[in-house]
Structure formats: C-alpha cells, structure tokens
Amino acid sequence: MVKITATVEGMMCRNCENHVSEAVKKAFGAKEVTSDHEKNTTEIIAKEPVDEAKLREVIEEAGYRMTGMKCEPYEKKGFSLFGKK
C-alpha cells in the first residue's frame, strides 16, 4: 500500500474537496481519498503508485490545479489492545 499526497490549488470549500476526491476515486479506483481545501492537499491510499501525469489530468479536468505529488509507503494502523497488534 502507498500514500500519495498531491498538492492541489483552487479548492475553496468542502464541495470542492468532494469534487476532487470523487474524480480521483472514479479514475483510479482508490480505496481511500481525502481532500483538504485548507491544506491544499489530496491524499490517496492505493495498492500501488498512480501515474503522476494521469493524476494531474484528472484533477485539472475537475477544474483544479495539481502543483506537486509525493508517494510513500503506507501501513494501515490497526486496532491495538495494550500495545499488541
């Protein structure tokens, strides 16, 4: 699993966040997508990295501007009882 963080300009409200998140989910079938207009970010949790050019295209078609992207390994944080996983 990977966590992709895209910097997205142009989001002004929760509706903008939802618009970007839904476009990304639809295009990539990502498990989890969260956008934040205050941080100007969209975080994607996926099985494997996404193509940066395709992500940029999807975000721009939704009416926003992607200015950067980073990808890092992601490990789901499970429920822990007394420090045991």
Side-chain angles (χ1 to χ4, degrees), residues 40-85:
N40 293 325
T41 59
T42 295
E43 291 184 349
I44 306 157
I45 305 301
K47 291 182 181 180
E48 55 190 47
V50 299
D51 179 65
E52 184 173 352
K54 175 69 175 169
L55 180 59
R56 185 178 310 275
E57 180 183 316
V58 167
I59 289 172
E60 288 180 1
E61 284 179 1
Y64 305 90
R65 182 170 174 250
M66 186 177 104
T67 58
M69 181 181 113
K70 73 176 183 176
C71 185
E72 58 191 326
Y74 176 80
E75 185 175 321
K76 184 175 181 177
K77 294 168 181 64
F79 176 73
S80 174
L81 183 61
F82 305 110
K84 298 178 183 177
K85 287 189 177 183

Side-chain angles (χ1 to χ4, degrees), residues 1-16:
M1 300 287 287
V2 292
K3 177 175 136 181
I4 299 117
T5 304
T7 305
V8 180
E9 293 181 352
M11 294 187 291
M12 303 301 231
C13 62
R14 290 186 192 257
N15 286 333
C16 296

